[in-house]
Amino acid sequence: MIKEIRKLSNPKRARISLGFFKTGKGHYGEGDLFLGLKVPECRNIAKKHISAGFTAIGKLLKSKFHEERLIALLILTYQFEKADQKGQKEIFNFFLANTKYVNNWDLVDLSSYKIVGQYLLDKNRRLLYKLANSKNLWERRIAIVSTYQFIRNHQFVDTLKISGLLLKDKHDLIHKAVGWMLREVGKRSQHILQKFLSKNANSMPRTALRYAIERFPEKQRLKYLKS
């Protein structure tokens, strides 16, 4: 897999990614390295090697290169879709044991709801509240983005509760994720979103609010933003 990945490396695209994913000193992606692969190329490699075992996936997931970690996570999501109950549990546990390598917003967003959210769809969700209180930025993002799978199944309670927990978070990437999930709730039930906003709009981060009300009519958006 690594040989296939390295053959597709593109230094020019890699340089662009360094800026796009904020890899400078003090930024959220500090020190991350890129090979310059496109996401469709990563998906193709992952699908080709869908039968890879945890040992191989683990080596990729610990790679210093962003795309190799992405491919590892994509393999896990494809495996999870096809796995039986036992296999899904193993993938879920493997993912949680390696969250420190799920360390950028795209890695979280492309994997967490498909593995963590899907696995917890019919189970207790205490784990998500533990992640929401983590000191690790990416674990907090995993907590809220995982609820996207609940939203898609018209289950909104945990999204709203976890959003409430994260409203005082200091990181912009959490504000964006919270706003995104609230917007997804609003797509299914504007009434439920407006009820949440009636209690929290005045105190929630402006980024989260802007994301949440993105689909509202302009007049209504301006009213919330002036509140």
Side-chain angles (χ1 to χ4, degrees):
M1 276 192 285
I2 289 173
K3 286 181 180 179
E4 289 180 37
I5 293 165
R6 302 293 169 86
K7 283 181 181 178
L8 293 171
S9 62
N10 184 313
K12 184 178 180 180
R13 266 203 308 268
R15 285 193 296 273
I16 294 171
S17 294
L18 289 173
F20 184 74
F21 286 97
K22 309 295 184 187
T23 60
K25 189 172 182 180
H27 292 169
Y28 64 77
E30 181 178 352
D32 207 352
L33 298 176
F34 290 80
L35 292 165
L37 276 73
K38 297 178 181 178
V39 173
E41 292 173 328
C42 293
R43 289 190 184 280
N44 288 337
I45 293 172
K47 287 175 181 177
K48 183 177 178 181
H49 295 280
I50 193 172
S51 61
F54 285 147
T55 301
I57 295 170
K59 287 181 179 178
L60 272 189
L61 196 52
K62 293 171 185 174
S63 171
K64 63 182 180 180
F65 292 110
H66 186 101
E67 294 92 340
E68 291 182 347
R69 300 197 302 282
L70 173 58
I71 289 167
L73 291 166
L74 288 171
I75 293 171
L76 289 175
T77 65
Y78 297 149
Q79 288 183 348
F80 191 93
E81 289 175 3
K82 297 178 179 296
D84 58 17
Q85 192 172 7
K86 181 184 176 183
Q88 289 186 342
K89 184 177 182 179
E90 290 174 349
I91 293 167
F92 171 78
N93 288 335
F94 180 85
F95 181 93
L96 291 177
N98 289 281
T99 53
K100 68 179 179 180
Y101 305 112
V102 189
N103 57 358
N104 218 313
W105 58 264
D106 63 319
L107 304 181
V108 172
D109 297 355
L110 288 169
S111 63
S112 59
Y113 76 93
K114 293 182 178 181
I115 297 174
V116 179
Q118 181 62 38
Y119 185 76
L120 295 178
L121 196 56
D122 59 352
K123 298 176 182 66
N124 187 288
R125 292 145 186 198
R126 282 194 300 266
L127 167 74
L128 295 183
Y129 293 86
K130 181 179 178 182
L131 292 174
N133 285 292
S134 172
K135 293 181 179 180
N136 182 288
L137 163 65
W138 306 116
E139 289 190 342
R140 299 198 304 277
R141 188 163 173 119
I142 287 169
I144 185 63
V145 175
S146 291
T147 71
Y148 184 35
Q149 196 64 270
F150 309 158
I151 296 169
R152 290 168 60 157
N153 286 270
H154 296 272
Q155 300 175 21
F156 307 134
V157 173
D158 293 290
T159 300
L160 299 176
K161 286 183 177 179
I162 293 171
S163 292
L165 290 174
L166 294 174
L167 286 183
K168 293 183 180 179
D169 200 283
K170 296 180 179 180
H171 207 290
D172 190 56
L173 283 175
I174 299 300
H175 303 166
K176 289 177 179 178
V178 167
W180 169 27
M181 289 302 108
L182 290 174
R183 184 176 71 234
E184 292 299 325
V185 169
K187 287 180 184 178
R188 280 85 176 171
S189 174
Q190 192 166 332
H191 170 72
I192 290 175
L193 174 56
Q194 287 179 315
K195 189 176 179 181
F196 179 89
L197 293 174
S198 69
K199 296 179 181 178
N200 299 288
N202 291 338
S203 59
M204 66 193 292
R206 296 296 92 176
T207 298
L209 179 60
R210 284 196 297 271
Y211 270 59
I213 63 176
E214 196 174 81
R215 293 169 62 88
F216 283 17
E218 184 177 2
K219 193 172 181 179
Q220 195 175 13
R221 285 203 316 274
L222 291 174
K223 183 180 178 181
Y224 276 110
L225 291 171
K226 289 178 180 177
S227 63

